[in-house]
Amino acid sequence: STRVNGESVVTSILEPGTHATKSWINQGFGRIDHRFNESNVLDARYSLTRNGNENGGLGGLNTFDRRTNNESQSDTMVASLVTLFGSNKVNEARARFTYNTTDSYSPLTADDGKASRTPDFSNVPVSVSRPGIGNTGPPTGLPQNLVEKRLQFVNNFTIRTGTHQWKFGGDVVQSGRFGAFFINFAGA
């Protein structure tokens, strides 16, 4: 797109103009460490990211109807417990949960990213592309959505004997994913 000072410039004769674009990113992080006693240490942390943009994809020959919005979020929670059994045995247990979403959509089909996962196409105008003149109506390749939830458990038990170190453990992951790609719903 054609951008000038955070704005997209539409040069199409169908609907010339300048439109503001907006983007944001918010991040946070928290951590707790706690020693229960000389043999048990717990640490837990949480991080989040929220980002997105509005009025992307327009400019040049793409009119305001062709704009797109993007929203993403990422949440991660991790807890770890380290336990000492005497001077030569250690158990490390960890659990992690992540929740990630990415939603790209047209504001003509949904009010926000979450709503775009079940879009309402009943009142959406037809998309029209006229080479050299302009493109109007919603983008034909949207919405696109991805939602992923992942849960992981890891446990490792270490034994040290003389000059040898033995490590036993396991790792279990459960992952669920939802993806949607609504292609060419509004014509071409």
Side-chain angles (χ1 to χ4, degrees):
S1 67
T2 307
R3 293 185 55 123
V4 177
N5 297 326
E7 296 183 326
S8 292
V9 179
V10 176
T11 58
S12 169
I13 62 172
L14 297 176
E15 186 184 293
T18 302
H19 304 279
T21 57
K22 176 183 172 185
S23 62
W24 65 92
I25 184 166
N26 298 303
Q27 296 179 313
F29 179 81
R31 179 179 173 130
I32 294 174
D33 293 320
H34 180 68
R35 173 171 253 161
F36 293 105
N37 53 45
E38 290 185 14
S39 298
N40 294 286
V41 176
L42 172 74
D43 71 78
R45 65 183 188 267
Y46 172 73
S47 63
L48 67 88
T49 302
R50 304 285 186 275
N51 60 40
N53 62 58
E54 294 177 356
N55 296 340
L58 60 97
L61 295 179
N62 286 338
T63 63
F64 190 67
D65 279 352
R66 194 54 71 103
R67 70 194 182 278
T68 62
N69 291 350
N70 296 289
E71 297 175 11
S72 297
Q73 94 174 52
S74 178
D75 293 272
T76 302
M77 294 170 274
V78 179
S80 177
L81 178 64
V82 176
T83 304
L84 302 176
F85 296 99
S87 62
N88 66 338
K89 297 179 190 84
V90 178
N91 191 72
E92 304 164 275
R94 183 177 71 236
R96 180 180 72 166
F97 176 74
T98 58
Y99 178 73
N100 300 305
T101 66
T102 300
D103 299 297
S104 299
Y105 63 96
S106 166
L108 298 176
T109 60
D111 292 330
D112 59 35
K114 190 171 184 178
S116 74
R117 296 175 201 159
T118 54
D120 178 10
F121 297 129
S122 62
N123 293 317
V124 177
V126 172
S127 289
V128 177
S129 296
R130 296 178 184 148
I133 296 175
N135 308 308
T136 188
T140 58
L142 297 178
Q144 294 183 11
N145 313 91
L146 179 64
V147 178
E148 183 179 61
K149 296 177 186 177
R150 180 174 288 194
L151 182 61
Q152 179 182 29
F153 295 102
V154 178
N155 195 74
N156 292 307
F157 187 74
T158 305
I159 302 171
R160 200 174 51 171
T161 58
T163 60
H164 299 283
Q165 182 171 314
W166 304 88
K167 195 168 199 172
F168 308 92
D171 188 339
V172 177
V173 176
Q174 178 185 13
S175 184
R177 180 177 275 192
F178 164 81
F181 302 92
F182 300 94
I183 304 298
N184 205 21
F185 67 88

